[in-house]
Amino acid sequence: MDTPGLLALESIGILISTIIIALRIIILWRQPYPTKLEMLGAGSMILGCLVSIYIMSIWCHQGVQILHWIAAGDDDFAIGMKLAEPKYMKMVFAADVGTVTALWLSKTSILAAYAPAYCGFSLRMKALFRVTVAVVVVTYLTAMSAYLFYCIPISLNWNVMPPKGESLCITAIMFTPVLLAYLCNIIADLLILSIPIIALIQLPGRTKTQAYGVATIVGLALITLGVSVYRVVSTNLSAYSKSKPIPVEQRNVHIIGNTFVVVPLLIAFSLPEFRVFLRGAKRNASSESQEGRSSIVGAVLPLRIPERNDSYIDLVEGK
């Protein structure tokens, strides 16, 4: 992928993340008395989008710099050497850590949306939810540890000329931490996606709207899973994990791979909240805050929740 293409896709990613932030703020503002879980869900998604914007801004900054170097007549080797300078390698390390953070913040957001449906779960579904929460916590700690502690001291990550006696160790180009981090992401997402699928299967009289909603979320999340697998395989097969310089265009492909892991997941795990806008057109202003809360979970888990069941009856009946 050429660098202008990288800049275009990263800019689109920034725009999408910004739109998600704006919509989540609007939804939260429309709820006069948001619960702690609603605050957690909205806050996690907003923070995750902010982190993703920061990551993509890093790649845009480097992309612009690469274009300047190309205009000055530098070839791939010269550009690769410049990108290996500590200030640019620090950006790469920050982007990798930020990627893990953004991914798991989005997971936290949708789990917070699931939580109010506890009372509608069967015992097995409750157990699945609790296991999922535990796995998400463990996988986050594992993935973050892989990036933070694989290279000790941590300064090795931005030093392509390590001190005497030290071997080159840069987490971003090492296969083991990349494999561990993306494997953790895949495991956590598969568990998270299993909850709405199982809930929909168990629901009697489920509607096409509910099926399409769950299918859309699962489909977007599967994009991130597929790219995660590709990212691991390509890292192992290419020179990227063998401490060798790679062409700028090949480097751009790896960067875009990270973006296609993060952005579709942010969209997928925001969709339950965005149901509020679709239903808001059918409600008057006095009932918007109540239906806003209940439809969040109902868009994904079409289960009845006591004390908030009016909107759920409408939702299950496809109104």
Side-chain angles (χ1 to χ4, degrees), residues 49-60:
C49 289
L50 288 173
V51 173
S52 72
I53 290 172
Y54 169 72
I55 297 166
M56 290 181 281
S57 296
I58 288 176
W59 301 130
C60 285

Side-chain angles (χ1 to χ4, degrees), residues 182-231:
Y182 280 95
L183 184 60
C184 286
N185 181 56
I186 292 171
I187 293 172
D189 284 350
L190 286 176
L191 274 173
I192 291 173
L193 293 175
S194 69
I195 296 176
I197 294 174
I198 294 174
L200 186 66
I201 291 173
Q202 293 180 350
L203 182 71
R206 56 185 176 271
T207 67
K208 289 184 178 181
T209 301
Q210 294 161 351
Y212 292 153
V214 172
T216 301
I217 294 172
V218 172
L220 286 169
L222 286 178
I223 293 176
T224 72
L225 295 179
V227 176
S228 295
V229 173
Y230 167 78
R231 181 74 169 79

Side-chain angles (χ1 to χ4, degrees), residues 138-199:
V138 172
T139 51
Y140 170 71
L141 294 175
T142 302
M144 187 60 74
S145 296
Y147 276 109
L148 291 178
F149 305 121
Y150 187 79
C151 298
I152 300 295
I154 198 171
S155 58
L156 287 175
N157 284 286
W158 47 84
N159 191 351
V160 296
M161 299 295 291
K164 187 177 181 180
E166 297 282 352
S167 59
L168 179 68
C169 186
I170 300 175
T171 301
I173 62 174
M174 297 294 177
F175 179 66
T176 300
V178 171
L179 171 64
L180 192 57
Y182 280 95
L183 184 60
C184 286
N185 181 56
I186 292 171
I187 293 172
D189 284 350
L190 286 176
L191 274 173
I192 291 173
L193 293 175
S194 69
I195 296 176
I197 294 174
I198 294 174

Side-chain angles (χ1 to χ4, degrees), residues 55-92:
I55 297 166
M56 290 181 281
S57 296
I58 288 176
W59 301 130
C60 285
H61 173 269
Q62 291 198 4
V64 171
Q65 186 61 65
I66 289 171
L67 291 179
H68 288 162
W69 289 333
I70 292 174
D74 291 335
D75 57 15
D76 268 350
F77 180 80
I79 293 174
M81 293 301 294
K82 291 180 178 180
L83 289 173
E85 294 177 4
K87 64 179 181 179
Y88 293 110
M89 294 305 296
K90 287 180 180 178
M91 292 181 186
V92 172

Side-chain angles (χ1 to χ4, degrees), residues 107-118 120-136 187-203 206 210 213-215 217-218 221 269 272 296-303:
K107 302 180 203 311
T108 301
S109 177
I110 198 165
L111 287 176
Y114 287 146
Y118 257 152
F121 284 166
S122 65
L123 291 177
R124 290 183 179 179
M125 286 294 291
K126 286 182 180 179
L128 175 60
F129 184 89
R130 290 167 181 166
V131 168
T132 301
V133 172
V135 169
V136 167
I187 293 172
D189 284 350
L190 286 176
L191 274 173
I192 291 173
L193 293 175
S194 69
I195 296 176
I197 294 174
I198 294 174
L200 186 66
I201 291 173
Q202 293 180 350
L203 182 71
R206 56 185 176 271
Q210 294 161 351
V214 172
I217 294 172
V218 172
F269 289 173
I296 288 172
V297 182
V300 182
L301 295 179
L303 303 173

Side-chain angles (χ1 to χ4, degrees), residues 288-306:
E288 281 182 349
S289 64
Q290 176 67 21
E291 67 86 19
R293 292 181 178 181
S294 57
S295 64
I296 288 172
V297 182
V300 182
L301 295 179
L303 303 173
R304 182 179 296 184
I305 297 180

